[in-house]
Amino acid sequence: MSSVPENAPDHCPGTNSEDAGKASACAGCPNQQICSSGATKAPDPDLDAVKERLSSVKYKILVLSGKGGVGKSTVTAMIGRALALDESKEVGILDIDICGPSQPRVLGALEEKIHSSGAGWSPIYVGENLAVMSIGFLLNSKDDAVIWRGPKKNGMIKQFLRDVDWGTLDYMVVDTPPGTSDEHLSIVQYLSAAPPVAAIIVTTPQEVALLDVRKEITFCRKVNIPIIGIVENMTTFVCPKCKTETAIFPPTTGGGEQLAIDFDLPLLGRLPIDPRIAKACDHGENFLTEVPDSPATAAYKEVAKRIVEFCNVQS
Ligand code: ADP
């Protein structure tokens, strides 16, 4: 049967096509949004394989941001590290920021390469109970660029979800690209087959960041992903010498706090700027254990605690 709808524009790629909703012919078509969401496509036969693989992963947590540079990858890594402070839990970090994979560097695994076994791809262990998988491990050099179109990126995300041998995980924290792109639609499509899934939204206090975050919240609501809460990063700068707190990025429209009120979401934490975070991440060190007395460390731990509470209530 043809997958081209009756009211389709000329050159409609068909609702089952990888280009559905994305081809130039789709511009202006009333079905464009629904096609590009993937909702019209026949079920992917690999969904069952993903579901089977992820049945040993208890909670899947997507970390989202509207803009790049707000600290999403840093927050992802720190949440993973903070959750792994509980030695009774197994934690995995999945980096699907295909064009800008940061986790290998931030987690100190830059030189690692993936090994595969009969059970699938083995993730890299950066701690006793903390594993990571990133496209960064598959690149020949850290300066390689990934220049892929949507379908290829989606194929890689599927492979990550289907073929990585995580073993049993309590939490899988997923670092996503900024915005709402093909990668988000793919991961949501696959993870929705293996609930529970929830999201955390990272922003900085400025309106220019918040603007895009509102779209992220709308996206989550459209695809039925519950939002654990908002993390405001770079809220203030606390001078390490005089301890004076300064708002470097003034919250002209109320920052994360107002956003949380507007959307009726919890504000999970407000993370201060601490130059030692950037330094530790550049060196792949664990900031939480290296700088235990930083207010940022306390804030990260509090965010992790709230995530655990959310997950416990869900289960
Ligand atoms: P994104 O993933 O949103 O693009 P990153 O996590 O890569 O952002 O962060 C961008 C830069 O800001 C990195 O150098 C990171 O170390 C730094 N950074 C993030 N959060 C903080 C913070 N709270 N204090 C200091 N530096 C930070």
Side-chain angles (χ1 to χ4, degrees):
M1 205 176 80
S2 162
S3 68
V4 176
E6 269 175 34
N7 58 349
D10 291 347
H11 310 297
C12 167
T15 53
N16 278 333
S17 157
E18 287 287 358
D19 286 334
K22 296 171 204 151
S24 54
C26 303
C29 173
N31 296 333
Q32 181 178 18
Q33 207 174 5
I34 188 158
C35 281
S36 63
S37 75
T40 56
K41 291 194 189 113
D44 185 329
D46 284 321
L47 273 180
D48 281 344
V50 170
K51 191 173 170 184
E52 172 66 27
R53 173 69 78 180
L54 295 183
S55 61
S56 58
V57 177
K58 213 164 176 184
Y59 303 108
K60 296 102 194 159
I61 300 160
L62 295 174
V63 184
L64 307 171
S65 73
K67 282 224 183 303
V70 298
K72 170 188 50 59
S73 297
T74 309
V75 170
T76 307
M78 291 304 158
I79 287 174
R81 289 206 193 265
L83 291 170
L85 289 174
D86 178 349
E87 288 169 10
S88 70
K89 301 291 180 210
E90 293 295 327
V91 183
I93 294 179
L94 175 63
D95 182 4
I96 64 156
D97 191 346
I98 287 175
C99 293
S102 305
Q103 295 304 330
R105 174 170 290 282
V106 175
L107 294 170
L110 208 52
E111 305 303 328
E112 300 286 349
K113 288 274 170 276
I114 301 289
H115 299 279
S116 55
S117 69
W121 282 345
S122 308
I124 303 296
Y125 276 82
V126 291
E128 284 288 319
N129 58 341
L130 181 60
V132 56
M133 178 52 109
S134 165
I135 190 156
F137 298 136
L138 302 173
L139 303 178
N140 289 326
S141 130
K142 62 180 173 2
D143 298 327
D144 273 5
V146 179
I147 311 166
W148 289 352
R149 287 190 191 276
K152 196 161 177 200
K153 286 193 214 163
N154 296 347
M156 177 52 76
I157 289 169
K158 177 159 70 181
Q159 209 166 351
F160 272 169
L161 294 174
R162 190 192 55 200
D163 296 346
V164 177
D165 178 24
W166 293 104
T168 302
L169 287 185
D170 293 283
Y171 304 100
M172 183 168 87
V173 191
V174 186
D175 191 5
T176 63
T180 46
S181 58
D182 285 351
E183 288 92 317
H184 297 89
L185 290 169
S186 299
I187 192 105
V188 164
Q189 182 197 358
Y190 289 115
L191 289 186
S192 298
V197 188
I200 289 167
I201 303 209
V202 182
T203 185
T204 49
Q206 319 95 297
E207 178 54 25
V208 73
L210 297 170
L211 199 67
D212 287 351
V213 161
R214 295 190 186 97
K215 293 179 197 156
E216 216 72 28
I217 296 173
T218 309
F219 169 79
C220 287
R221 291 189 168 162
K222 262 194 180 154
V223 295
N224 289 323
I225 300 284
I227 300 172
I228 303 175
I230 296 166
V231 174
E232 187 183 77
N233 191 28
M234 309 190 189
T235 301
T236 54
F237 173 73
V238 186
C239 173
K241 289 216 171 93
C242 69
K243 310 284 178 212
T244 306
E245 213 170 320
T246 319
I248 305 266
F249 303 125
T252 47
T253 56
E257 203 162 13
Q258 187 59 44
L259 183 78
I261 294 169
D262 291 348
F263 283 89
D264 196 18
L265 289 169
L267 182 65
L268 299 178
R270 304 171 85 204
L271 308 170
I273 295 174
D274 186 331
R276 293 170 296 182
I277 293 177
K279 198 168 159 217
C281 290
D282 274 0
H283 290 106
E285 289 160 359
N286 186 351
F287 172 78
L288 303 182
T289 49
E290 293 290 319
V291 196
D293 59 342
S294 166
T297 301
Y300 279 128
K301 286 185 181 170
E302 179 62 22
V303 170
K305 188 172 144 232
R306 308 251 331 241
I307 293 169
V308 171
E309 283 167 5
F310 179 95
C311 292
N312 288 343
V313 169
Q314 282 225 316
S315 59

